[in-house]
Amino acid sequence: MKIDRIEIIPIAIDRNEVFRIATGSELTSENVLVEVKSGVHEGWGNGAPNSVTKETTESMLSALTRMQTHLNDKDLEVENIWEELSASYPKDPSALAALDMAIWDLRGKEEDKSVYQLLGGRSGSVLTDRTIGIMSYEETIEHARDYMEQGFKALKIKIGLELMEDIRRVEAVRDTVGPDIPLWVDANQGYSVQEALTLCNKLVEFDIEFIEQPVKEDDLTGLKHVTSESEIPIMADEAVKDHSMAERIITEELADMINIKLMKCGGITGGMKIAEVIDTYGVEAMVGCMGEDMLAIAAGVHVCLSSDNIRYADLDSHFMLSDSVSTGLEFREGRLWLTEGKGLGIRMWREKIERYRMDLEAAR
Ligand SMILES: [Mg+2]
């Protein structure tokens, strides 16, 4: 594969409402699109700056501009490009994710295959949750009702600011949706170890499938303690950003499950490296997201379909945006379905990309 041209496009799309979690809140979602061209084919990727990897739209643009020079006039293998870029740009995983995704999309189109086929995965669909941000008790109930009406079959509740109020909100959601809907909670590092232990005890009666990242990402001793004491499985999210950390978390029993996010680990290739680790140890994982548009969500679906141990998908950020620059991923019966297209199976709306293109000079 030889790449003829790369285009890097920052876009900003408003969210439907402010999204609040334990570490902050956001009204607009910024994304960086990457288009790679080779002969008659084009591939697209999509990255989102975020506080977990500490990347901004500006840092992503700068990293991608520098990454381009590694690709010029070379015959490339996806895995080799990734290894080289991942070693050279360790602080830019979301930028790498966007480029890596575009190259996988391109490779699928060149080989007339879907990305999940290239990854050795199965066809099909993935059940996704819908996430309820941190909001008032009444709004939490309203949102739970709305999402049930929209056809979602699992909910994730963001917590991590006020322990007793969080427990009250989780209880209210369980009462609202009944006993059969899977509920997940995510504290985004919001609690002390003591608070996390209280939380785990109190939530047992509400049949919660897992709790994400209860304590600070660098408090691995605390994470291990909570994991060993909790009856509810604990999932590491912010604490795991690559496959070596995933392996450490599993072998040292720091958490029970892993949240794979393409933005944390450098895209599909990085995600597959974590999938290899969880498959080796038979540990369950989820694929999550970080404010990306549908294109990157589809990439997450392809990764989900590559391993039977990826049992959960939190692939809902595109539902939170007021518009999308891409189309092709369908939502039916609580599940995300890939359409027949090759590569990632997504079509881009060029007019919309222009509409939401950021003028960075004007925006800052
Ligand atoms: Mg999380």
Side-chain angles (χ1 to χ4, degrees):
M1 177 193 294
K2 214 166 175 182
I3 291 171
D4 305 323
R5 207 168 68 80
I6 298 182
E7 204 184 340
I8 304 159
I9 311 164
I11 58 168
I13 302 179
D14 280 346
R15 292 175 178 273
N16 295 318
E17 60 181 2
V18 172
F19 185 53
R20 185 164 176 234
I21 66 172
T23 47
S25 55
E26 252 188 14
L27 178 57
T28 302
S29 185
E30 295 184 5
N31 275 219
V32 176
L33 302 174
V34 173
E35 182 188 20
V36 292
K37 285 196 167 168
S38 176
V40 296
H41 296 290
E42 61 183 38
W44 285 88
N46 165 202
N50 62 83
S51 59
V52 177
T53 66
K54 301 186 175 61
E55 290 169 89
T56 61
T57 299
E58 285 82 355
S59 79
M60 288 180 67
L61 293 177
S62 153
L64 282 162
T65 307
R66 284 174 287 135
M67 284 179 190
Q68 280 188 74
T69 56
H70 293 253
L71 309 180
N72 290 341
D73 296 325
K74 279 192 213 157
D75 233 350
L76 303 162
E77 287 291 333
V78 185
E79 287 83 359
N80 297 346
I81 305 170
W82 190 89
E83 291 293 349
E84 183 180 330
L85 293 178
S86 160
S88 306
Y89 300 89
K91 293 190 170 153
D92 304 287
S94 305
L96 177 55
L99 180 60
D100 175 76
M101 209 178 283
I103 295 171
W104 277 103
D105 188 35
L106 177 66
R107 187 175 150 201
K109 287 166 181 167
E110 283 189 345
E111 296 184 22
D112 202 28
K113 286 184 174 153
S114 281
V115 168
Y116 74 81
Q117 290 174 307
L118 296 175
L119 302 177
R122 60 188 193 278
S123 65
S125 62
V126 168
L127 182 132
T128 181
D129 69 335
R130 185 73 155 85
T131 302
I132 300 174
I134 295 179
M135 54 185 74
S136 74
Y137 180 82
E138 291 73 22
E139 286 170 315
T140 300
I141 294 173
E142 232 170 79
H143 280 68
R145 272 197 200 116
D146 273 3
Y147 296 153
M148 289 297 102
E149 270 166 32
Q150 291 168 28
F152 289 93
K153 309 277 188 219
L155 293 178
K156 174 161 128 175
I157 307 150
K158 290 285 194 184
I159 56 172
L161 285 185
E162 288 174 69
L163 181 63
M164 296 324 283
E165 180 63 10
D166 289 343
I167 294 165
R168 211 164 79 89
R169 288 174 56 240
V170 174
E171 179 178 11
V173 173
R174 176 51 83 205
D175 287 347
T176 304
V177 303
D180 299 330
I181 295 292
L183 291 186
W184 315 335
V185 303
D186 186 358
N188 289 106
Q189 321 177 59
Y191 298 125
S192 66
V193 171
Q194 200 46 53
E195 285 171 325
L197 292 172
T198 306
L199 176 88
C200 296
N201 269 331
K202 297 267 187 202
L203 291 191
V204 168
E205 64 176 301
F206 308 127
D207 191 18
I208 303 302
E209 279 196 274
F210 54 81
I211 299 172
E212 264 181 73
Q213 197 69 45
V215 298
K216 293 267 176 289
E217 62 171 281
D218 51 5
D219 184 7
L220 298 178
T221 315
L223 183 64
K224 186 180 168 99
H225 183 56
V226 176
T227 300
S228 69
E229 295 289 314
S230 174
E231 275 182 48
I232 304 171
I234 302 296
M235 180 183 283
D237 180 3
E238 285 89 337
V240 50
K241 298 190 176 80
D242 60 24
H243 61 284
S244 19
M245 192 59 190
E247 185 157 25
R248 184 172 168 205
I249 281 173
I250 294 167
T251 54
E252 295 182 20
E253 299 178 344
L254 305 180
D256 301 299
M257 304 158 84
I258 303 284
N259 187 341
I260 303 171
K261 284 181 180 162
L262 303 189
M263 294 304 118
K264 288 187 301 188
C265 63
I268 293 172
T269 308
M272 290 304 294
K273 284 178 178 287
I274 300 180
E276 227 172 85
V277 171
I278 61 150
D279 286 344
T280 302
Y281 293 95
V283 164
E284 290 183 355
M286 173 164 88
V287 173
C289 59
M290 297 221 196
E292 305 100 297
D293 190 42
M294 183 189 286
L295 176 67
I297 295 301
V301 172
H302 286 275
V303 171
C304 278
L305 294 171
S306 75
S307 162
D308 290 337
N309 288 309
I310 302 179
R311 298 278 303 279
Y312 303 95
D314 170 27
L315 290 171
D316 63 346
S317 62
H318 61 308
F319 295 121
M320 300 185 196
L321 305 181
S322 59
D323 202 356
S324 175
V325 296
S326 49
T327 175
L329 188 64
E330 288 173 8
F331 176 72
R332 288 196 311 277
E333 293 147 9
R335 307 182 73 85
L336 297 169
W337 302 76
L338 295 167
T339 43
E340 285 306 297
K342 300 307 170 191
L344 293 172
I346 294 293
R347 293 177 303 283
M348 304 302 290
W349 293 92
R350 295 217 178 245
E351 323 83 80
K352 286 196 185 179
I353 292 172
E354 287 314 313
R355 191 183 312 160
Y356 297 113
R357 186 191 280 262
M358 284 174 80
D359 178 349
L360 280 173
E361 308 266 295
R364 304 293 189 224

